[in-house]
Amino acid sequence: ETGVTQTPRHLVMGMTNKKSLKCEQHLGHNAMYWYKQSAKKPLELMFVYNFKEQTENNSVPSRFSPECPNSSHLFLHLHTLQPEDSALYLCASTQEGMGSGANVLTFGAGSRLTVL
Amino acid sequence: GQNIDQPTEMTATEGAIVQINCTYQTSGFNGLFWYQQHAGEAPTFLSYNVLDGLEEKGRFSSFLSRSKGYSYLLLKELQMKDSASYLCAVSDSNYQLIWGAGTKLIIKP
């Protein structure tokens, strides 16, 4: 496989469930991201990992818990979510350089989450 | 605060030309990106501008004016497959991406 792969593509869960989203990149990139995409809103950056170290946590509620076991895999663990957490969750990767603005992100197709 | 503005939705006719505008107010500037996102699919990179002027890539062109905080994406010879959302994003002084809410482009035959 090539590019960025996300599973599952669709997930429906109750507020008391625990589930995980998975992201895998086959591009040899050193940075991976989780974004939340809600209808008619800008992409919201949630977490950034660079060389497996978390470098960004944008005040995300603790019911979202990221895990990056290696530079190719990224997980988002979900527990006790709220209906307003229903959204498309996008994973992305890039090769971060030194002081370059031109870090093109490669996105996965996303995991569509519905919280009942 | 930092802000990116782009129209919510635009409609154009197959074979025509459409221009999607993006204005921004950010803390610093390290480049502006355009991404295309078809419904249910991943956003894909279209263009990157860091210097003023026009960058052309086939049917798509992107323009930047840093002094005006303004960019546009120009799509020529529109095809039905160009129906998608177009996302504008600016890299700020900390190389953080600030995103617009996207412009949904509808192409009619």
Side-chain angles (χ1 to χ4, degrees):
Chain A
E1 286 202 55
T2 58
V4 179
T5 304
Q6 290 188 243
T7 55
R9 292 294 310 277
H10 300 274
L11 179 62
V12 179
M13 59 188 289
M15 289 191 284
T16 58
N17 291 158
K18 288 184 180 181
K19 298 284 185 184
S20 296
L21 307 180
K22 179 183 176 182
C23 176
E24 186 173 357
Q25 59 100 356
H26 307 271
L27 301 166
H29 288 163
N30 61 6
M32 297 185 75
Y33 302 66
W34 280 117
Y35 279 95
K36 177 182 179 182
Q37 186 175 38
S38 303
K40 299 185 180 180
K41 289 186 177 180
L43 290 181
E44 296 176 46
L45 180 63
M46 300 175 73
F47 302 104
V48 181
Y49 278 82
N50 191 307
F51 289 108
K52 303 188 301 177
E53 299 295 322
Q54 189 179 121
T55 58
E56 193 84 32
N57 177 340
N58 268 9
S59 303
V60 179
S62 59
R63 57 186 184 268
F64 295 92
S65 173
E67 179 190 358
C68 188
N70 55 60
S71 58
S72 298
H73 293 84
L74 186 64
F75 294 89
L76 189 62
H77 303 299
L78 317 169
H79 59 99
T80 59
L81 294 190
Q82 304 298 311
E84 60 264 30
D85 297 323
S86 297
L88 182 68
Y89 289 85
L90 290 167
C91 174
S93 70
T94 192
Q95 185 64 25
E96 286 192 349
M98 296 296 292
S100 168
N103 293 326
V104 175
L105 293 174
T106 301
F107 285 88
S111 294
R112 172 70 62 187
L113 174 66
T114 303
V115 182
L116 301 176
Chain B
Q2 307 201 89
N3 192 53
I4 308 283
D5 284 315
Q6 48 181 135
T8 302
E9 187 172 298
M10 299 181 71
T11 302
T13 305
E14 190 177 15
I17 299 173
V18 71
Q19 178 175 309
I20 302 174
N21 295 327
C22 172
T23 58
Y24 62 90
Q25 292 122 18
T26 57
S27 303
F29 179 84
N30 279 302
L32 184 144
F33 295 83
W34 285 97
Y35 284 81
Q36 180 191 58
Q37 185 179 22
H38 287 101
E41 297 184 14
T44 55
F45 170 74
L46 286 178
S47 67
Y48 171 72
N49 294 67
V50 67
L51 299 176
D52 289 351
L54 188 68
E55 297 272 346
E56 296 185 74
K57 265 188 195 179
R59 294 189 299 114
F60 291 12
S61 303
S62 56
F63 172 82
L64 175 67
S65 169
R66 287 172 296 171
S67 62
K68 294 182 179 178
Y70 168 69
S71 172
Y72 67 73
L73 182 68
L74 191 71
L75 291 74
K76 302 176 184 175
E77 301 168 17
L78 285 170
Q79 302 175 10
M80 297 303 293
K81 67 178 182 180
D82 298 329
S83 292
S85 288
Y86 291 85
L87 311 180
C88 175
V90 171
S91 178
D92 71 7
S93 57
N94 295 317
Y95 302 100
Q96 300 295 312
L97 280 179
I98 312 302
W99 293 86
T103 299
K104 183 178 180 180
L105 177 63
I106 300 167
I107 309 297
K108 296 187 173 178

